[in-house]
Amino acid sequence: MPKVAVYDITGKQTGELELNENVFGVEVNEAVVHQAVVMQLASQRLGTAATKTRGLVRGGGKKPWKQKGTGRARAGSIRSPLWVGGGTVFGPQPRSYAFRMPRKQRRLAIKSALSAKVSSGELVVVDSISFDAPKTKNVVKMLKDFNAADNKALIITGEVLENVEKSSRNLPKVKSLSNGCLNVFDLLHHNKVFLAKDAVAKIEEVLS
């Protein structure tokens, strides 16, 4: 079983914690992780690109000239796709780019990301992450104590803590999540992950 040190919020080691090998010690499946990231980013796309077909372009109701006798090609509308200002053929229409992965694959992707963070030493387990008031300097001090002031940091708590969330949202390189919002993209995007000890138990309960 992988074993990691446990720190208090000031950066001092208070003990050790054995992590569940089925969650934090699995073999990293890069293909599944990549698919999970693509799925997450695809679901964020707006898909609002739209073009007008010949039926949507304003005008063109009158036949521009008679069918025969002019020497010109037949034309039924000035909004034909062949004309300047005409409609678009097979242009983009509003759509959803979202797709779903099987539950087992989604969970494997998260376990792979967590295992990669443990093996690279980028996962830090903190005894308790909580603040008395929503102040940005609380998070700044915490990161300095862990020598991670210049890193992109992800803070994961066992439950939704408003003070922690508000204290970190003004920092462009820091993000705070509860364990229920854990996702592959944020785990990979941040190079330092601070995981509250109570969140470890909840993550292992769901993923093991």
Side-chain angles (χ1 to χ4, degrees):
M1 283 189 175
K3 186 180 291 186
V4 294
V6 179
Y7 300 88
D8 62 14
I9 204 166
T10 64
K12 296 179 181 178
Q13 184 172 347
T14 59
E16 289 186 337
L17 179 67
E18 283 192 356
L19 301 174
N20 190 325
E21 191 174 1
N22 295 325
V23 177
F24 294 93
V26 302
E27 182 180 352
V28 177
N29 190 320
E30 293 184 4
V32 173
V33 171
H34 175 265
Q35 185 78 345
V37 172
V38 172
M39 178 190 72
Q40 187 172 343
L41 296 180
S43 66
Q44 295 175 3
R45 294 184 66 177
L46 295 179
T48 54
T51 54
K52 291 184 178 181
T53 62
R54 64 184 297 168
L56 298 175
V57 180
R58 185 175 180 181
K62 179 184 177 182
K63 188 174 174 66
W65 52 76
K66 63 181 184 178
Q67 181 81 348
K68 290 179 176 294
T70 65
R72 287 178 288 188
R74 295 171 291 185
S77 171
I78 63 172
R79 298 303 179 224
S80 164
L82 303 177
W83 287 51
V84 175
T88 302
V89 181
F90 303 133
Q93 295 297 323
R95 54 166 288 194
S96 170
Y97 289 89
F99 65 94
R100 298 286 289 174
M101 291 171 61
R103 181 185 296 175
K104 285 186 178 180
Q105 286 189 359
R106 296 199 304 269
R107 292 185 171 182
L108 176 60
I110 293 178
K111 289 192 287 188
S112 295
L114 289 170
S115 299
K117 289 297 177 183
V118 172
S119 62
S120 62
E122 295 179 353
L123 183 80
V124 179
V125 178
V126 183
D127 213 356
S128 176
I129 303 176
S130 61
F131 304 125
D132 296 332
K135 293 183 179 180
T136 305
K137 66 180 181 181
N138 291 332
V139 177
V140 172
K141 182 180 182 304
M142 172 183 156
L143 295 178
K144 284 183 178 178
D145 290 338
F146 283 96
N147 296 320
D150 296 328
N151 293 339
K152 289 183 289 186
L154 178 65
I155 301 173
I156 304 171
T157 56
E159 55 187 357
V160 178
L161 298 177
E162 190 173 349
N163 286 346
V164 176
E165 183 180 341
K166 288 183 176 180
S167 298
S168 59
R169 67 186 179 188
N170 283 337
L171 299 170
K173 293 184 178 180
V174 181
K175 187 171 185 179
S176 172
L177 296 174
S178 64
N179 69 291
C181 299
L182 191 62
N183 61 84
V184 176
F185 177 80
D186 283 326
L187 284 171
L188 299 181
H189 180 69
H190 297 85
N191 47 26
K192 206 71 172 178
V193 178
F194 294 93
L195 185 59
K197 190 175 180 180
D198 59 340
V200 174
K202 294 181 179 180
I203 291 171
E204 290 179 343
E205 182 182 353
V206 174
L207 298 179
S208 61

